[in-house]
């Protein structure tokens, strides 16, 4: 069957952007707009006249994407989906069109030294750890705070393979002793981490040999190692 539409952080990719409507319907009243590069948090999705719509945490609905071969069932749908395409080559009935792209889960590499890991989604929550440059982390959930994408970490490991801090497997969330943390990933004009391997083991750009994929996959299955922090 078809894969479910992911929730969490999205980035607006359509030119010149996309509109926010008050309701889920395509003909709902427009309440604002988002420029390309905007980060939004999608908390629910629905199908509306062949179009995938998302309810965003800040309020309102946006079009996320038009699936391939989706039928334009009304003139209103055509106006909202294609009216601001500006000649975009991705706007075609057969191939569909992406308006906002989900932030991928997987292995990210820290590109700013001393990145804080906090206990909660809020960047003002308690700091448990500072991550060195080039550390790799496994991100299993994304959220948006003040226009900035935050990621929930389930494993942290140095470039040389040495464990920095142990996290339980993502599937054991809520069990006794589970440790999780949140880090900055990026915002429109700044980046703290870059993805190097997608969830499931597919490396970005096709790079990374079997050994690197095996090492990344092992992050989620290693035993928990306590940090000794009190």
């Amino acid at each position: 069957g078809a894969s479910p539409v992911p929730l969490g952080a999205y980035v607006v990719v359509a030119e010149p952007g996309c509109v926010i409507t008050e309701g889920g319907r395509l003909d709902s009243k427009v309440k604002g707009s988002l420029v390309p590069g905007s980060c939004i948090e999608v908390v629910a999705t629905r199908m509306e006249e062949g179009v995938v719509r998302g309810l965003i945490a800040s309020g309102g609905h946006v079009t996320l994407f038009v699936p391939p071969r989706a039928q334009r069932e009304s003139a209103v749908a055509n106006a909202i989906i294609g009216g601001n395409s500006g000649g975009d080559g991705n706007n075609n009935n057969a191939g569909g069109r992406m308006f906002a792209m989900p932030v991928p889960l997987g292995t990210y590499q820290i590109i700013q030294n001393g990145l804080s890991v906090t206990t909660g989604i809020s960047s003002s929550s308690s700091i448990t750890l500072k991550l060195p440059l080039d550390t790799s982390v496994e991100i299993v959930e994304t959220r948006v705070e003040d226009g900035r994408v935050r990621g929930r970490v389930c494993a942290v490991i140095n470039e040389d393979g040495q464990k920095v801090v142990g996290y339980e497997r993502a599937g054991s969330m809520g069990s006794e002793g589970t440790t999780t943390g949140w880090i900055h990933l990026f915002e429109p004009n700044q980046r703290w981490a870059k993805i190097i391997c997608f969830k499931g083991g597919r490396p970005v750009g096709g790079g990374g040999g079997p050994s690197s994929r095996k090492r990344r996959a092992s992050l989620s299955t290693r035993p928990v190692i306590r940090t000794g922090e009190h």
Side-chain angles (χ1 to χ4, degrees):
S3 300
V5 178
L7 304 179
Y10 278 69
V11 177
V12 175
V13 295
E15 293 284 355
C18 62
V19 297
I20 305 171
T21 61
E22 292 183 351
R25 290 177 54 86
L26 294 176
D27 59 356
S28 182
K29 182 180 179 181
V30 174
K31 61 177 291 185
S33 62
L34 295 165
V35 299
S38 297
C39 301
I40 57 176
E41 182 178 332
V42 175
V43 297
T45 61
R46 61 187 283 182
M47 289 292 295
E48 189 70 33
E49 299 186 44
V51 174
V52 177
R53 301 273 284 164
L55 171 64
I56 59 178
S58 57
H61 293 74
V62 298
T63 294
L64 298 178
F65 61 91
V66 181
R69 298 178 300 278
Q71 298 299 313
R72 309 303 190 257
E73 296 178 354
S74 69
V76 172
N78 279 321
I80 292 181
I81 295 165
N84 62 358
S85 64
D88 191 318
N90 292 329
N91 184 32
N92 61 81
N93 290 349
R97 185 183 179 196
M98 184 75 71
F99 284 80
M101 184 174 295
V103 175
L105 305 179
T107 306
Y108 281 73
Q109 184 179 49
I110 305 305
I111 61 175
Q112 291 203 23
N113 192 41
L115 181 61
S116 297
V117 180
T118 63
T119 56
I121 173 61
S122 173
S123 57
S124 62
S125 57
S126 299
I127 296 173
T128 60
L129 185 69
K130 294 278 190 177
L131 297 176
L133 185 68
D134 293 332
T135 301
S136 295
V137 296
E138 289 293 315
I139 300 297
V140 295
E141 181 183 358
T142 60
R143 301 280 292 276
V144 175
E145 179 195 33
D146 297 328
R148 179 183 298 127
V149 176
R150 301 263 290 161
R152 186 168 68 82
V153 177
C154 77
V156 182
I157 192 168
N158 275 328
E159 183 67 17
D160 62 3
Q162 181 182 1
K163 178 72 71 169
V164 177
V165 63
Y167 288 87
E168 291 274 0
R169 296 181 61 180
S172 63
M173 288 185 295
S175 63
E176 184 178 356
T178 298
T179 305
T180 59
W182 293 82
I183 63 171
H184 294 333
L185 294 181
F186 63 88
E187 60 185 16
N189 298 312
Q190 188 171 0
R191 185 173 293 273
W192 290 268
K194 65 177 182 179
I195 190 163
I196 57 176
C197 186
F198 295 109
K199 180 180 179 181
R202 181 168 62 90
V204 175
S211 60
S212 64
R213 286 195 293 271
K214 182 178 179 181
R215 179 177 65 81
R216 289 166 187 157
S218 69
L219 288 172
S220 63
T221 57
R222 294 191 181 194
V224 173
I225 302 173
R226 302 304 177 193
T227 64
E229 295 178 352
H230 299 288

